[in-house]
């Protein structure tokens, strides 16, 4: 049902145009909005009009019109005969209010459909039938964005005003901490670039408004039934980001790299790998200085000179630290295969720590 304030605003607009006093009642005869007048006599006449089942009626003082949706009485409009526009005013109000109600219910139906589609709660035949009924293209290519922010409600209208958001896009809230967008791809040949630009446009607008957000998106699907897969991919991308790429504000499922592989490994297998890699030593045995050196060495693509320069230490000091790490862990980061093993081990440890915190 549309709100009483919307009814009042519509009544004000139309009554102002026709210069006619009018009132709107609900199907039980209760007054919900009026302009300038409603007498006890008019309320009594409205009750009689409802019982009569007539679509329109009038007497010496008023015109009455029923506003129905799908054969069901929703509103009764009473317009005072102060001029020759009373009947027109009542009919305009009835038509306008029903149009607003229809738009609201269609929006609600679409929102419910999209939520169930994303959550994979619909059979394929149901998806096709409901999409056809709601006028949603079944074959259009789409991808799903999931935006996690500290201001979910405030970004709703903001996103709708951005250039990438089209008339065939849908936005809904699946959970309390995020907004989900089902975006129809406009340029299929450059879909990857289009999705990245859309994410950057959103992030730029959020930042300008002082809203901190993370944006993840799934892969492009070519049929409506695949939207739930793209949604699951976007959710997974957020999970992987939280573990391995916490500084990334935008992340795509198609660019998760080795993080996605590790995330899908059984936790017991991960523990076995760490035990084998470090020979029974725990990762906590590495001091902060060693860990900082390792991370900086990887950031500089195993370049000893550049790493020592950025750490403000002598090259020989860095070599000493790497030699010490080799003795402790049995891995020489200057050797490519050992460096890969250690890099994966760092990520696996992050994953184990994350899973342990969830269990706790």
């Amino acid at each position: 049902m549309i709100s009483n304030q919307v009814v009042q605003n519509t009544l004000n607009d139309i009554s102002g145009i026709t210069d006619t006093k009018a009132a709107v009642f609900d199907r039980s005869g209760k007054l919900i909005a009026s302009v300038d007048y409603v007498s006890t006599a008019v309320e009594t006449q409205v009750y009689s009009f409802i019982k009569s089942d007539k679509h329109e009626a009038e007497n010496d003082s008023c015109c009455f019109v029923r506003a129905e949706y799908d054969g069901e009485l929703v509103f009764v409009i009473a317009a005072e005969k102060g001029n020759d526009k009373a009947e027109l005013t009542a009919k305009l109000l009835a038509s306008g209010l029903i149009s607003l109600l229809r738009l609201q219910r269609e929006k609600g139906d679409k929102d419910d459909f999209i939520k169930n589609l994303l959550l994979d709660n619909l059979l394929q035949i149901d998806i096709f039938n409901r999409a056809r009924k709601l006028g949603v293209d079944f074959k259009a290519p789409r991808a799903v964005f999931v935006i996690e922010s500290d201001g979910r409600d405030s970004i709703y209208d903001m996103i709708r005003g951005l250039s990438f958001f089209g008339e065939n896009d849908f936005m809904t809230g699946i959970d309390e901490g995020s907004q989900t967008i089902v975006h129809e791809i406009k340029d299929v040949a450059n879909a990857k670039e289009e999705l990245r630009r859309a994410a950057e446009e959103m992030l730029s607008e959020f930042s300008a408004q002082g809203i901190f957000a993370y944006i993840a998106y799934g892969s492009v699907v070519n049929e409506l039934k695949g939207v739930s897969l793209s949604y699951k991919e976007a959710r997974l991308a957020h999970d992987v980001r939280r573990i391995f790429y916490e500084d990334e504000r935008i992340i795509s499922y198609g660019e998760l790299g080795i993080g996605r592989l590790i995330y899908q490994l059984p936790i017991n297998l991960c523990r076995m790998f760490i035990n084998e890699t470090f020979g029974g030593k725990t990762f906590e045995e590495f001091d902060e200085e060693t860990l900082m050196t390792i991370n900086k060495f990887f950031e500089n693509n195993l370049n000893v000179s550049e790493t020592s320069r950025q750490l403000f230490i002598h090259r020989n000091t860095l070599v000493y630290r790497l030699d010490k790490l080799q003795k402790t862990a049995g891995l020489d980061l200057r050797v490519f295969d050992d460096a890969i093993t250690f890099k994966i081990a760092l990520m696996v440890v992050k994953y184990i720590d994350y899973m342990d915190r969830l269990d706790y």
Side-chain angles (χ1 to χ4, degrees):
M1 179 64 71
I2 53 181
S3 69
N4 290 356
Q5 187 59 55
V6 171
V7 174
Q8 184 68 60
N9 292 342
T10 306
L11 175 58
N12 292 343
D13 290 342
I14 293 178
S15 293
I17 293 170
T18 62
D19 193 26
T20 302
K21 296 178 180 179
V24 179
F25 301 81
D26 66 15
R27 61 185 177 183
S28 68
K30 179 182 177 182
L31 177 70
I32 57 176
S34 69
V35 172
D36 295 339
Y37 94 105
V38 166
S39 67
T40 303
V42 171
E43 292 185 349
T44 302
Q45 291 164 2
V46 166
Y47 285 118
S48 299
F49 175 65
I50 292 173
K51 292 178 181 179
S52 72
D53 289 333
K54 293 179 180 178
H55 186 72
E56 300 175 20
E58 61 178 284
N59 55 32
D60 293 339
S61 61
C62 289
C63 289
F64 302 95
V65 173
R66 300 167 71 93
E68 297 181 346
Y69 183 82
D70 285 345
E72 179 183 350
L73 177 63
V74 182
F75 302 112
V76 173
I77 292 88
E80 186 180 60
K81 284 185 174 180
N83 55 37
D84 59 357
K85 296 179 181 178
E87 182 180 356
L88 174 63
T89 300
K91 289 182 177 180
L92 285 173
L93 276 167
S95 177
L97 292 173
I98 292 303
S99 294
L100 287 173
L101 182 61
R102 181 177 294 109
L103 287 172
Q104 185 185 67
R105 290 192 179 180
E106 286 178 356
K107 179 182 177 181
D109 289 344
K110 282 187 178 180
D111 188 65
D112 179 72
F113 172 58
I114 294 300
K115 283 182 179 178
N116 281 292
L117 184 65
L118 291 168
L119 295 172
D120 203 15
N121 290 337
L122 299 170
L123 297 175
Q124 183 171 345
I125 187 63
D126 294 329
I127 295 173
F128 179 79
N129 289 336
R130 291 189 65 180
R132 182 173 58 182
K133 181 179 179 180
L134 294 170
V136 179
D137 189 348
F138 190 80
K139 289 288 187 179
R142 296 178 174 89
V144 175
F145 292 94
V146 175
I147 302 103
E148 295 184 350
S149 76
D150 55 1
R152 193 195 82 163
D153 294 335
S154 62
I155 69 174
Y156 186 86
D157 292 330
M158 196 182 304
I159 291 173
R160 289 187 174 277
L162 298 178
S163 63
F164 85 91
F165 196 89
E167 61 180 10
N168 295 321
D169 288 353
F170 304 98
M171 183 162 49
T172 188
I174 299 295
D175 55 51
E176 188 175 337
S178 66
Q179 285 283 5
T180 300
I181 300 170
V182 180
H183 174 64
E184 184 176 307
I185 304 298
K186 300 179 181 67
D187 183 2
V188 178
N190 298 293
K192 183 178 179 180
E193 292 79 7
E194 178 180 332
L195 292 170
R196 184 72 188 187
R197 284 196 303 271
E200 289 174 349
E201 183 183 8
M202 284 188 281
L203 191 61
S204 176
E205 182 64 21
F206 298 156
S207 298
Q209 300 299 324
I211 296 173
F212 192 85
Y214 294 100
I215 301 170
Y217 53 95
S219 56
V220 177
V221 294
N222 294 317
E223 289 189 352
L224 199 57
K225 65 181 180 180
V227 163
S228 62
L229 174 61
S230 188
Y231 172 70
K232 291 172 184 175
E233 290 175 346
R235 299 293 329 177
L236 187 146
H238 270 303
D239 290 339
V240 174
R241 171 194 59 76
R242 276 189 285 271
I243 303 170
F244 305 115
Y245 316 112
E246 56 265 33
D247 294 331
E248 296 293 328
R249 302 284 296 281
I250 297 173
I251 193 159
S252 163
Y253 175 80
E255 299 172 349
L256 295 178
I258 197 170
R260 176 174 55 201
L261 177 63
I262 295 172
Y263 182 79
Q264 295 172 331
L265 291 175
I267 195 70
N268 289 338
L269 185 62
C270 291
R271 295 188 193 279
M272 288 175 58
F273 172 74
I274 294 300
N275 186 58
E276 292 172 0
T277 301
F278 296 126
K281 296 181 178 68
T282 63
F283 197 75
E284 288 76 12
E285 292 181 36
F286 299 114
D287 58 45
E288 186 175 345
E289 181 184 78
T290 300
L291 291 175
M292 181 180 66
T293 301
I294 293 167
N295 289 324
K296 188 62 68 173
F297 194 53
F298 282 131
E299 285 177 16
N300 289 287
N301 299 314
L302 314 185
N303 186 307
V304 174
S305 297
E306 184 60 24
T307 301
S308 60
R309 187 185 69 81
Q310 291 189 19
L311 289 173
F312 302 103
I313 60 175
H314 193 276
R315 176 189 175 93
N316 290 342
T317 303
L318 176 60
V319 171
Y320 169 76
R321 290 182 184 178
L322 294 175
D323 288 341
K324 181 181 177 182
L325 177 65
Q326 181 182 6
K327 292 177 182 178
T328 304
L331 296 170
D332 185 354
L333 299 192
R334 291 158 294 190
V335 177
F336 184 71
D337 286 350
D338 284 359
I340 290 177
T341 300
F342 204 98
K343 178 65 175 178
I344 293 174
L346 286 175
M347 297 180 72
V348 170
V349 167
K350 280 189 174 183
Y351 175 58
I352 293 172
D353 288 345
Y354 176 80
M355 296 305 293
D356 285 345
R357 289 196 302 271
L358 286 183
D359 291 340
Y360 179 78

